[in-house]
Amino acid sequence: MKKTILCFLTAACVLVSCLCLSSCGKKDAESSSSASSGASTSAAAGSDGQSPQASLPAGTKAGTINPLTGRSDLPSEAVGQRPVGIMINNLEAATPQHNIASADVCYEMQAEGGITRILALYSDWRNLSMTGSIRSARPYFVELAQSHDCIYVHVGGSQDALDAIQSSKVDSINGVSDSVTIWRDPGRKKSMGSVHSCVTDGEKLIQCVQKREIRTQAKSDGTAFSFRAEGDSQAPQGQSCETLTVPFSSYVTSRFVYDSQKAVYAKYQFDKGQMDAATGKQVEVENVLVLRTAITPTGDSLGHVDIQLKGGEGIYASMGRCQDIQWSMESASDPIQLTDSSGQELSLNPGKTWICIVGQKDDVTAE
């Protein structure tokens, strides 16, 4: 096993949207009340085609499975609904985030200048408590939102991200033009500053979706990934992985430390536990994926990067062990496919998943 490592969609999904701003892109907006000319908030349903999805795990009841976790615990109002994907601010000054620990799936990638941003996916978004802070879009996050058929919540974005939202007709809730769905929380504004204060919740998302008549029905009744049956979790067939260290840049390194009593990985960054301001608890996940790909600077003055979501090598960690994997994504409308070293479809253990997308040469280590 290499020392360098690499590391849904919906049967019951929902909507979510809105984001509130602060920006790092030339078109990023800082006001959640003024509209940006480049932003597009399409209320139209996405493409008519139905993406292929993994089947439900054996031993679970169709109609109750959470398509993002593989667990049979989805509330009835969320069954068959699209998920919501919220663009979460991950600057150290913006931590702890609100409601990050309740996300079903989190994608973490670079935004620019070495900082990372998180796309947090929620199946049961209707019951979402205050969540944020929300930041601006990047094109590769838009692509992942499209692959999960999400309602995408953000505050402004880089010009190429806003162009991607418009051209792909991703249903987006943009805090630049919607200061009702996405607002500035007084508590966060006072302690962290206005730029780190944009938030939303399930009640506001429901009102926005109904008002704009955004499609809420999922296109597929499959799961985002293939999952093992509940009660049949198995450790990957590879080396011990008590600690998985994923350096994104000199600014931020994500670290996952295995807790054998809970059978989860606790998330760390900035040399401390990544905490949830809503609960006071640390972020914990059953699965960690590290996916390697080409990451190149765009050459602009803002330090933006281009991240290719085509496929490559990776690693899967769960239950204190990890194994080498391969990943691929045929198009933006298709889900990520995971296979083991023999080319067979990889089945994740049921539970929450954190996905780190890193460069080809980033020094990821498992110990």
Side-chain angles (χ1 to χ4, degrees), residues 279-342:
T279 64
K281 296 182 179 180
Q282 190 169 358
V283 174
E284 296 177 337
V285 296
E286 281 73 17
N287 305 304
V288 181
L289 290 169
V290 180
L291 308 181
R292 289 193 181 277
T293 190
I295 301 178
T296 56
T298 65
D300 69 9
S301 62
L302 298 169
H304 289 148
V305 296
D306 177 55
I307 299 180
Q308 295 294 315
L309 298 179
K310 301 298 182 183
E313 297 179 331
I315 191 123
Y316 168 49
S318 186
M319 298 182 69
R321 303 193 70 82
C322 63
Q323 69 180 79
D324 289 326
I325 62 170
Q326 298 288 325
W327 71 279
S328 62
M329 187 171 167
E330 293 186 8
S331 72
S333 61
D334 295 315
I336 289 176
Q337 301 295 323
L338 304 171
T339 57
D340 61 22
S341 57
S342 68

Tab-separated table of all heavy atoms in Angstrom, residues 279-342:
chain	number	residue	atom	x	y	z
A	279	THR	N	-23.603	22.193	17.975
A	279	THR	CA	-23.705	21.130	18.973
A	279	THR	C	-22.540	21.104	19.951
A	279	THR	O	-22.645	20.484	21.011
A	279	THR	CB	-23.778	19.756	18.291
A	279	THR	OG1	-22.543	19.521	17.586
A	279	THR	CG2	-24.948	19.695	17.313
A	280	GLY	N	-21.438	21.744	19.591
A	280	GLY	CA	-20.250	21.673	20.425
A	280	GLY	C	-19.502	20.366	20.285
A	280	GLY	O	-18.542	20.104	21.015
A	281	LYS	N	-19.905	19.531	19.319
A	281	LYS	CA	-19.282	18.228	19.124
A	281	LYS	C	-18.342	18.246	17.920
A	281	LYS	O	-18.488	19.048	17.010
A	281	LYS	CB	-20.352	17.148	18.936
A	281	LYS	CG	-21.235	16.944	20.163
A	281	LYS	CD	-22.250	15.837	19.933
A	281	LYS	CE	-23.125	15.618	21.172
A	281	LYS	NZ	-24.127	14.540	20.947
A	282	GLN	N	-17.391	17.323	17.928
A	282	GLN	CA	-16.426	17.227	16.849
A	282	GLN	C	-17.029	16.507	15.644
A	282	GLN	O	-17.882	15.625	15.784
A	282	GLN	CB	-15.180	16.484	17.330
A	282	GLN	CG	-14.002	16.527	16.349
A	282	GLN	CD	-12.725	16.004	16.988
A	282	GLN	OE1	-12.702	15.644	18.175
A	282	GLN	NE2	-11.644	15.957	16.221
A	283	VAL	N	-16.595	16.877	14.455
A	283	VAL	CA	-17.036	16.202	13.232
A	283	VAL	C	-16.505	14.774	13.243
A	283	VAL	O	-15.313	14.534	13.466
A	283	VAL	CB	-16.530	16.938	11.982
A	283	VAL	CG1	-16.862	16.144	10.713
A	283	VAL	CG2	-17.134	18.339	11.901
A	284	GLU	N	-17.392	13.801	12.984
A	284	GLU	CA	-17.026	12.389	12.942
A	284	GLU	C	-17.684	11.734	11.730
A	284	GLU	O	-18.842	12.007	11.428
A	284	GLU	CB	-17.469	11.665	14.218
A	284	GLU	CG	-16.788	12.169	15.478
A	284	GLU	CD	-17.305	11.494	16.748
A	284	GLU	OE1	-18.443	10.973	16.728
A	284	GLU	OE2	-16.578	11.505	17.755
A	285	VAL	N	-16.934	10.870	11.045
A	285	VAL	CA	-17.462	10.183	9.860
A	285	VAL	C	-17.039	8.722	9.878
A	285	VAL	O	-16.001	8.365	10.447
A	285	VAL	CB	-16.972	10.845	8.556
A	285	VAL	CG1	-17.504	12.264	8.433
A	285	VAL	CG2	-15.443	10.835	8.460
A	286	GLU	N	-17.849	7.890	9.234
A	286	GLU	CA	-17.521	6.466	9.127
A	286	GLU	C	-16.535	6.193	8.001
A	286	GLU	O	-15.744	5.242	8.074
A	286	GLU	CB	-18.793	5.647	8.902
A	286	GLU	CG	-19.624	5.379	10.144
A	286	GLU	CD	-20.383	6.604	10.642
A	286	GLU	OE1	-20.535	7.574	9.859
A	286	GLU	OE2	-20.841	6.605	11.806
A	287	ASN	N	-16.607	6.992	6.937
A	287	ASN	CA	-15.786	6.757	5.752
A	287	ASN	C	-14.979	7.993	5.383
A	287	ASN	O	-15.481	9.118	5.469
A	287	ASN	CB	-16.668	6.398	4.548
A	287	ASN	CG	-17.581	5.225	4.810
A	287	ASN	OD1	-17.116	4.137	5.184
A	287	ASN	ND2	-18.879	5.412	4.629
A	288	VAL	N	-13.749	7.775	4.931
A	288	VAL	CA	-12.939	8.855	4.367
A	288	VAL	C	-12.447	8.397	2.995
A	288	VAL	O	-11.918	7.284	2.856
A	288	VAL	CB	-11.727	9.208	5.250
A	288	VAL	CG1	-10.936	10.359	4.611
A	288	VAL	CG2	-12.170	9.575	6.658
A	289	LEU	N	-12.642	9.250	1.992
A	289	LEU	CA	-12.119	8.987	0.650
A	289	LEU	C	-11.123	10.083	0.305
A	289	LEU	O	-11.387	11.268	0.532
A	289	LEU	CB	-13.250	8.995	-0.380
A	289	LEU	CG	-14.241	7.826	-0.338
A	289	LEU	CD1	-15.445	8.119	-1.224
A	289	LEU	CD2	-13.566	6.524	-0.765
A	290	VAL	N	-9.987	9.705	-0.222
A	290	VAL	CA	-9.018	10.650	-0.762
A	290	VAL	C	-8.896	10.349	-2.248
A	290	VAL	O	-8.548	9.233	-2.633
A	290	VAL	CB	-7.643	10.527	-0.075
A	290	VAL	CG1	-6.661	11.537	-0.673
A	290	VAL	CG2	-7.765	10.729	1.428
A	291	LEU	N	-9.226	11.322	-3.072
A	291	LEU	CA	-9.214	11.135	-4.524
A	291	LEU	C	-8.159	12.044	-5.130
A	291	LEU	O	-8.178	13.263	-4.926
A	291	LEU	CB	-10.598	11.466	-5.109
A	291	LEU	CG	-11.800	10.765	-4.460
A	291	LEU	CD1	-13.093	11.172	-5.160
A	291	LEU	CD2	-11.620	9.251	-4.457
A	292	ARG	N	-7.250	11.484	-5.910
A	292	ARG	CA	-6.189	12.264	-6.535
A	292	ARG	C	-6.585	12.684	-7.945
A	292	ARG	O	-7.230	11.922	-8.669
A	292	ARG	CB	-4.888	11.469	-6.595
A	292	ARG	CG	-4.222	11.283	-5.241
A	292	ARG	CD	-2.805	10.776	-5.418
A	292	ARG	NE	-2.143	10.569	-4.153
A	292	ARG	CZ	-1.541	11.523	-3.456
A	292	ARG	NH1	-1.535	12.768	-3.938
A	292	ARG	NH2	-0.955	11.266	-2.311
A	293	THR	N	-6.161	13.895	-8.306
A	293	THR	CA	-6.444	14.384	-9.649
A	293	THR	C	-5.478	15.516	-9.986
A	293	THR	O	-4.666	15.922	-9.147
A	293	THR	CB	-7.904	14.867	-9.761
A	293	THR	OG1	-8.214	15.107	-11.136
A	293	THR	CG2	-8.121	16.148	-8.971
A	294	ALA	N	-5.587	16.029	-11.214
A	294	ALA	CA	-4.739	17.146	-11.632
A	294	ALA	C	-5.319	18.459	-11.107
A	294	ALA	O	-6.493	18.754	-11.330
A	294	ALA	CB	-4.642	17.178	-13.150
A	295	ILE	N	-4.501	19.226	-10.416
A	295	ILE	CA	-4.884	20.548	-9.924
A	295	ILE	C	-3.841	21.541	-10.430
A	295	ILE	O	-2.654	21.402	-10.121
A	295	ILE	CB	-4.958	20.592	-8.390
A	295	ILE	CG1	-5.989	19.567	-7.873
A	295	ILE	CG2	-5.318	21.988	-7.900
A	295	ILE	CD1	-6.097	19.509	-6.354
A	296	THR	N	-4.286	22.508	-11.207
A	296	THR	CA	-3.354	23.460	-11.808
A	296	THR	C	-3.827	24.892	-11.596
A	296	THR	O	-5.033	25.157	-11.595
A	296	THR	CB	-3.209	23.200	-13.321
A	296	THR	OG1	-4.501	23.248	-13.936
A	296	THR	CG2	-2.584	21.836	-13.573
A	297	PRO	N	-2.906	25.833	-11.429
A	297	PRO	CA	-3.286	27.244	-11.285
A	297	PRO	C	-3.895	27.756	-12.584
A	297	PRO	O	-3.459	27.391	-13.673
A	297	PRO	CB	-1.962	27.943	-10.983
A	297	PRO	CG	-1.033	26.860	-10.539
A	297	PRO	CD	-1.456	25.632	-11.273
A	298	THR	N	-4.901	28.623	-12.475
A	298	THR	CA	-5.481	29.219	-13.671
A	298	THR	C	-4.628	30.363	-14.191
A	298	THR	O	-4.760	30.765	-15.345
A	298	THR	CB	-6.899	29.750	-13.397
A	298	THR	OG1	-6.821	30.826	-12.444
A	298	THR	CG2	-7.803	28.646	-12.857
A	299	GLY	N	-3.773	30.893	-13.325
A	299	GLY	CA	-2.907	31.992	-13.736
A	299	GLY	C	-3.483	33.370	-13.485
A	299	GLY	O	-2.854	34.376	-13.813
A	300	ASP	N	-4.673	33.448	-12.897
A	300	ASP	CA	-5.241	34.769	-12.625
A	300	ASP	C	-4.629	35.365	-11.361
A	300	ASP	O	-3.902	34.697	-10.618
A	300	ASP	CB	-6.768	34.718	-12.548
A	300	ASP	CG	-7.300	33.962	-11.332
A	300	ASP	OD1	-6.500	33.619	-10.439
A	300	ASP	OD2	-8.514	33.710	-11.279
A	301	SER	N	-4.926	36.621	-11.130
A	301	SER	CA	-4.321	37.339	-10.006
A	301	SER	C	-4.874	36.914	-8.650
A	301	SER	O	-4.316	37.270	-7.614
A	301	SER	CB	-4.541	38.849	-10.181
A	301	SER	OG	-5.936	39.153	-10.186
A	302	LEU	N	-5.956	36.157	-8.654
A	302	LEU	CA	-6.603	35.757	-7.402
A	302	LEU	C	-6.152	34.390	-6.912
A	302	LEU	O	-6.565	33.934	-5.856
A	302	LEU	CB	-8.119	35.771	-7.584
A	302	LEU	CG	-8.702	37.143	-7.913
A	302	LEU	CD1	-10.156	37.017	-8.334
A	302	LEU	CD2	-8.566	38.092	-6.742
A	303	GLY	N	-5.333	33.706	-7.687
A	303	GLY	CA	-4.822	32.413	-7.260
A	303	GLY	C	-5.791	31.269	-7.418
A	303	GLY	O	-5.656	30.234	-6.745
A	304	HIS	N	-6.787	31.412	-8.286
A	304	HIS	CA	-7.734	30.327	-8.522
A	304	HIS	C	-7.044	29.112	-9.135
A	304	HIS	O	-5.992	29.239	-9.772
A	304	HIS	CB	-8.871	30.793	-9.447
A	304	HIS	CG	-9.810	31.763	-8.805
A	304	HIS	ND1	-10.454	32.757	-9.478
A	304	HIS	CD2	-10.212	31.882	-7.515
A	304	HIS	CE1	-11.219	33.456	-8.660
A	304	HIS	NE2	-11.086	32.934	-7.459
A	305	VAL	N	-7.652	27.944	-8.948
A	305	VAL	CA	-7.101	26.711	-9.506
A	305	VAL	C	-8.144	26.003	-10.355
A	305	VAL	O	-9.344	26.241	-10.220
A	305	VAL	CB	-6.615	25.753	-8.394
A	305	VAL	CG1	-5.462	26.358	-7.624
A	305	VAL	CG2	-7.760	25.377	-7.449
A	306	ASP	N	-7.661	25.145	-11.232
A	306	ASP	CA	-8.535	24.284	-12.037
A	306	ASP	C	-8.385	22.873	-11.504
A	306	ASP	O	-7.256	22.363	-11.390
A	306	ASP	CB	-8.135	24.345	-13.508
A	306	ASP	CG	-8.980	23.406	-14.364
A	306	ASP	OD1	-10.216	23.512	-14.317
A	306	ASP	OD2	-8.396	22.552	-15.061
A	307	ILE	N	-9.492	22.235	-11.151
A	307	ILE	CA	-9.475	20.869	-10.617
A	307	ILE	C	-10.237	19.966	-11.576
A	307	ILE	O	-11.425	20.164	-11.810
A	307	ILE	CB	-10.085	20.810	-9.205
A	307	ILE	CG1	-9.269	21.698	-8.249
A	307	ILE	CG2	-10.116	19.373	-8.689
A	307	ILE	CD1	-9.770	21.712	-6.820
A	308	GLN	N	-9.541	18.980	-12.139
A	308	GLN	CA	-10.131	18.067	-13.110
A	308	GLN	C	-10.881	16.942	-12.399
A	308	GLN	O	-10.286	16.203	-11.606
A	308	GLN	CB	-9.049	17.472	-14.016
A	308	GLN	CG	-8.364	18.483	-14.903
A	308	GLN	CD	-9.319	19.063	-15.931
A	308	GLN	OE1	-10.091	18.323	-16.561
A	308	GLN	NE2	-9.279	20.371	-16.106
A	309	LEU	N	-12.179	16.813	-12.680
A	309	LEU	CA	-12.979	15.744	-12.066
A	309	LEU	C	-13.246	14.660	-13.112
A	309	LEU	O	-14.370	14.461	-13.569
A	309	LEU	CB	-14.286	16.320	-11.512
A	309	LEU	CG	-14.123	17.359	-10.401
A	309	LEU	CD1	-15.486	17.875	-9.942
A	309	LEU	CD2	-13.354	16.775	-9.219
A	310	LYS	N	-12.186	13.961	-13.463
A	310	LYS	CA	-12.287	12.900	-14.468
A	310	LYS	C	-12.055	11.519	-13.863
A	310	LYS	O	-12.718	10.554	-14.207
A	310	LYS	CB	-11.273	13.146	-15.591
A	310	LYS	CG	-11.441	14.485	-16.302
A	310	LYS	CD	-12.793	14.599	-16.994
A	310	LYS	CE	-12.904	15.923	-17.738
A	310	LYS	NZ	-14.255	16.085	-18.362
A	311	GLY	N	-11.089	11.451	-12.949
A	311	GLY	CA	-10.794	10.161	-12.339
A	311	GLY	C	-9.330	10.018	-12.016
A	311	GLY	O	-8.519	10.906	-12.277
A	312	GLY	N	-8.981	8.889	-11.403
A	312	GLY	CA	-7.603	8.628	-11.037
A	312	GLY	C	-7.511	7.641	-9.889
A	312	GLY	O	-8.427	6.850	-9.650
A	313	GLU	N	-6.401	7.723	-9.177
A	313	GLU	CA	-6.190	6.846	-8.034
A	313	GLU	C	-6.758	7.473	-6.768
A	313	GLU	O	-7.081	8.649	-6.730
A	313	GLU	CB	-4.691	6.584	-7.851
A	313	GLU	CG	-4.054	5.869	-9.021
A	313	GLU	CD	-2.570	5.642	-8.814
A	313	GLU	OE1	-1.941	6.467	-8.106
A	313	GLU	OE2	-2.045	4.658	-9.353
A	314	GLY	N	-6.874	6.643	-5.739
A	314	GLY	CA	-7.391	7.163	-4.482
A	314	GLY	C	-7.210	6.178	-3.362
A	314	GLY	O	-6.551	5.147	-3.511
A	315	ILE	N	-7.799	6.498	-2.235
A	315	ILE	CA	-7.781	5.574	-1.100
A	315	ILE	C	-9.097	5.652	-0.374
A	315	ILE	O	-9.754	6.687	-0.334
A	315	ILE	CB	-6.634	5.859	-0.135
A	315	ILE	CG1	-6.500	4.726	0.874
A	315	ILE	CG2	-6.890	7.116	0.635
A	315	ILE	CD1	-5.198	4.066	0.930
A	316	TYR	N	-9.465	4.504	0.207
A	316	TYR	CA	-10.681	4.417	1.011
A	316	TYR	C	-10.286	3.977	2.408
A	316	TYR	O	-9.616	2.957	2.587
A	316	TYR	CB	-11.645	3.408	0.399
A	316	TYR	CG	-12.811	3.018	1.300
A	316	TYR	CD1	-13.587	3.983	1.950
A	316	TYR	CD2	-13.150	1.671	1.500
A	316	TYR	CE1	-14.648	3.631	2.766
A	316	TYR	CE2	-14.217	1.313	2.305
A	316	TYR	CZ	-14.963	2.286	2.944
A	316	TYR	OH	-16.017	1.931	3.751
A	317	ALA	N	-10.694	4.752	3.433
A	317	ALA	CA	-10.402	4.433	4.824
A	317	ALA	C	-11.698	4.280	5.602
A	317	ALA	O	-12.623	5.085	5.469
A	317	ALA	CB	-9.541	5.523	5.455
A	318	SER	N	-11.751	3.225	6.413
A	318	SER	CA	-12.907	2.972	7.269
A	318	SER	C	-12.506	1.935	8.306
A	318	SER	O	-11.655	1.067	8.032
A	318	SER	CB	-14.096	2.460	6.442
A	318	SER	OG	-15.267	2.350	7.234
A	319	MET	N	-13.054	2.039	9.488
A	319	MET	CA	-12.838	1.054	10.536
A	319	MET	C	-11.356	0.814	10.829
A	319	MET	O	-10.939	-0.297	11.154
A	319	MET	CB	-13.538	-0.263	10.183
A	319	MET	CG	-15.048	-0.137	10.045
A	319	MET	SD	-15.880	-1.703	9.689
A	319	MET	CE	-15.647	-2.557	11.268
A	320	GLY	N	-10.551	1.867	10.703
A	320	GLY	CA	-9.155	1.764	11.093
A	320	GLY	C	-8.227	1.140	10.080
A	320	GLY	O	-7.051	0.873	10.392
A	321	ARG	N	-8.706	0.901	8.841
A	321	ARG	CA	-7.855	0.358	7.792
A	321	ARG	C	-8.141	1.106	6.490
A	321	ARG	O	-9.160	1.803	6.376
A	321	ARG	CB	-8.067	-1.150	7.608
A	321	ARG	CG	-7.827	-1.964	8.875
A	321	ARG	CD	-7.744	-3.464	8.587
A	321	ARG	NE	-6.522	-3.794	7.873
A	321	ARG	CZ	-5.334	-3.980	8.438
A	321	ARG	NH1	-5.192	-3.846	9.749
A	321	ARG	NH2	-4.286	-4.301	7.726
A	322	CYS	N	-7.251	0.959	5.513
A	322	CYS	CA	-7.466	1.630	4.235
A	322	CYS	C	-6.962	0.767	3.082
A	322	CYS	O	-6.176	-0.168	3.280
A	322	CYS	CB	-6.796	2.996	4.216
A	322	CYS	SG	-5.004	2.969	4.387
A	323	GLN	N	-7.435	1.089	1.877
A	323	GLN	CA	-7.020	0.354	0.687
A	323	GLN	C	-6.956	1.291	-0.501
A	323	GLN	O	-7.629	2.319	-0.546
A	323	GLN	CB	-7.996	-0.790	0.385
A	323	GLN	CG	-9.371	-0.332	-0.073
A	323	GLN	CD	-10.319	-1.482	-0.357
A	323	GLN	OE1	-10.885	-2.057	0.585
A	323	GLN	NE2	-10.478	-1.822	-1.616
A	324	ASP	N	-6.124	0.914	-1.477
A	324	ASP	CA	-6.035	1.673	-2.722
A	324	ASP	C	-7.288	1.453	-3.556
A	324	ASP	O	-7.837	0.335	-3.598
A	324	ASP	CB	-4.821	1.227	-3.531
A	324	ASP	CG	-3.510	1.676	-2.913
A	324	ASP	OD1	-3.489	2.768	-2.324
A	324	ASP	OD2	-2.520	0.935	-3.013
A	325	ILE	N	-7.742	2.504	-4.216
A	325	ILE	CA	-8.929	2.418	-5.069
A	325	ILE	C	-8.695	3.202	-6.353
A	325	ILE	O	-7.679	3.882	-6.508
A	325	ILE	CB	-10.194	2.958	-4.373
A	325	ILE	CG1	-10.015	4.463	-4.040
A	325	ILE	CG2	-10.524	2.147	-3.116
A	325	ILE	CD1	-11.295	5.151	-3.566
A	326	GLN	N	-9.647	3.098	-7.274
A	326	GLN	CA	-9.706	3.920	-8.468
A	326	GLN	C	-11.045	4.652	-8.462
A	326	GLN	O	-12.028	4.141	-7.935
A	326	GLN	CB	-9.593	3.056	-9.725
A	326	GLN	CG	-8.288	2.299	-9.864
A	326	GLN	CD	-7.120	3.201	-10.211
A	326	GLN	OE1	-7.276	4.178	-10.948
A	326	GLN	NE2	-5.940	2.890	-9.680
A	327	TRP	N	-11.060	5.860	-9.051
A	327	TRP	CA	-12.316	6.594	-9.147
A	327	TRP	C	-12.445	7.176	-10.544
A	327	TRP	O	-11.447	7.418	-11.234
A	327	TRP	CB	-12.410	7.692	-8.093
A	327	TRP	CG	-11.501	8.871	-8.318
A	327	TRP	CD1	-10.172	8.962	-8.016
A	327	TRP	CD2	-11.866	10.135	-8.893
A	327	TRP	NE1	-9.676	10.196	-8.360
A	327	TRP	CE2	-10.698	10.941	-8.911
A	327	TRP	CE3	-13.060	10.661	-9.386
A	327	TRP	CZ2	-10.694	12.239	-9.402
A	327	TRP	CZ3	-13.063	11.964	-9.872
A	327	TRP	CH2	-11.897	12.739	-9.887
A	328	SER	N	-13.691	7.376	-10.972
A	328	SER	CA	-13.938	7.958	-12.291
A	328	SER	C	-15.264	8.702	-12.267
A	328	SER	O	-16.144	8.415	-11.455
A	328	SER	CB	-13.959	6.878	-13.381
A	328	SER	OG	-15.012	5.957	-13.158
A	329	MET	N	-15.374	9.667	-13.170
A	329	MET	CA	-16.593	10.459	-13.304
A	329	MET	C	-16.739	10.760	-14.790
A	329	MET	O	-15.995	11.565	-15.350
A	329	MET	CB	-16.475	11.736	-12.467
A	329	MET	CG	-17.729	12.567	-12.384
A	329	MET	SD	-17.487	13.901	-11.152
A	329	MET	CE	-18.897	14.943	-11.543
A	330	GLU	N	-17.675	10.096	-15.452
A	330	GLU	CA	-17.788	10.192	-16.901
A	330	GLU	C	-18.159	11.588	-17.366
A	330	GLU	O	-17.662	12.074	-18.381
A	330	GLU	CB	-18.799	9.171	-17.418
A	330	GLU	CG	-18.332	7.729	-17.247
A	330	GLU	CD	-19.280	6.739	-17.893
A	330	GLU	OE1	-20.222	7.191	-18.596
A	330	GLU	OE2	-19.083	5.531	-17.702
A	331	SER	N	-19.066	12.241	-16.646
A	331	SER	CA	-19.471	13.598	-16.998
A	331	SER	C	-20.028	14.267	-15.752
A	331	SER	O	-20.229	13.613	-14.719
A	331	SER	CB	-20.531	13.587	-18.104
A	331	SER	OG	-21.777	13.130	-17.605
A	332	ALA	N	-20.296	15.578	-15.854
A	332	ALA	CA	-20.805	16.312	-14.699
A	332	ALA	C	-22.169	15.818	-14.258
A	332	ALA	O	-22.555	16.008	-13.104
A	332	ALA	CB	-20.868	17.800	-15.019
A	333	SER	N	-22.917	15.184	-15.151
A	333	SER	CA	-24.253	14.697	-14.795
A	333	SER	C	-24.226	13.274	-14.244
A	333	SER	O	-25.263	12.720	-13.890
A	333	SER	CB	-25.179	14.755	-16.017
A	333	SER	OG	-24.676	13.940	-17.058
A	334	ASP	N	-23.036	12.692	-14.160
A	334	ASP	CA	-22.896	11.319	-13.663
A	334	ASP	C	-22.263	11.307	-12.275
A	334	ASP	O	-21.412	12.142	-11.970
A	334	ASP	CB	-22.019	10.495	-14.605
A	334	ASP	CG	-22.657	10.305	-15.963
A	334	ASP	OD1	-23.865	10.001	-15.996
A	334	ASP	OD2	-21.957	10.472	-16.984
A	335	PRO	N	-22.652	10.336	-11.444
A	335	PRO	CA	-22.038	10.227	-10.113
A	335	PRO	C	-20.625	9.667	-10.202
A	335	PRO	O	-20.241	9.056	-11.199
A	335	PRO	CB	-22.973	9.249	-9.389
A	335	PRO	CG	-23.522	8.389	-10.489
A	335	PRO	CD	-23.693	9.306	-11.663
A	336	ILE	N	-19.843	9.890	-9.163
A	336	ILE	CA	-18.504	9.319	-9.077
A	336	ILE	C	-18.611	7.807	-8.910
A	336	ILE	O	-19.417	7.303	-8.121
A	336	ILE	CB	-17.723	9.939	-7.903
A	336	ILE	CG1	-17.362	11.389	-8.227
A	336	ILE	CG2	-16.474	9.125	-7.574
A	336	ILE	CD1	-16.667	12.112	-7.090
A	337	GLN	N	-17.816	7.077	-9.681
A	337	GLN	CA	-17.765	5.623	-9.592
A	337	GLN	C	-16.483	5.220	-8.863
A	337	GLN	O	-15.398	5.743	-9.147
A	337	GLN	CB	-17.779	4.996	-10.977
A	337	GLN	CG	-19.008	5.350	-11.813
A	337	GLN	CD	-20.296	4.791	-11.224
A	337	GLN	OE1	-20.316	3.682	-10.678
A	337	GLN	NE2	-21.371	5.550	-11.340
A	338	LEU	N	-16.593	4.291	-7.925
A	338	LEU	CA	-15.465	3.816	-7.136
A	338	LEU	C	-15.245	2.330	-7.381
A	338	LEU	O	-16.205	1.550	-7.360
A	338	LEU	CB	-15.715	4.052	-5.646
A	338	LEU	CG	-16.028	5.491	-5.213
A	338	LEU	CD1	-16.461	5.521	-3.748
A	338	LEU	CD2	-14.819	6.395	-5.431
A	339	THR	N	-13.989	1.929	-7.613
A	339	THR	CA	-13.668	0.516	-7.802
A	339	THR	C	-12.439	0.154	-6.975
A	339	THR	O	-11.618	1.023	-6.639
A	339	THR	CB	-13.390	0.184	-9.279
A	339	THR	OG1	-12.326	1.019	-9.764
A	339	THR	CG2	-14.629	0.424	-10.135
A	340	ASP	N	-12.314	-1.132	-6.661
A	340	ASP	CA	-11.134	-1.581	-5.929
A	340	ASP	C	-10.012	-1.891	-6.910
A	340	ASP	O	-10.141	-1.664	-8.119
A	340	ASP	CB	-11.476	-2.782	-5.045
A	340	ASP	CG	-11.970	-3.998	-5.828
A	340	ASP	OD1	-11.671	-4.092	-7.047
A	340	ASP	OD2	-12.633	-4.854	-5.228
A	341	SER	N	-8.898	-2.395	-6.412
A	341	SER	CA	-7.726	-2.618	-7.253
A	341	SER	C	-7.955	-3.661	-8.339
A	341	SER	O	-7.253	-3.683	-9.345
A	341	SER	CB	-6.534	-3.037	-6.386
A	341	SER	OG	-6.854	-4.194	-5.622
A	342	SER	N	-8.983	-4.517	-8.156
A	342	SER	CA	-9.300	-5.535	-9.159
A	342	SER	C	-10.327	-5.051	-10.172
A	342	SER	O	-10.694	-5.786	-11.092
A	342	SER	CB	-9.822	-6.801	-8.472
A	342	SER	OG	-11.102	-6.576	-7.876
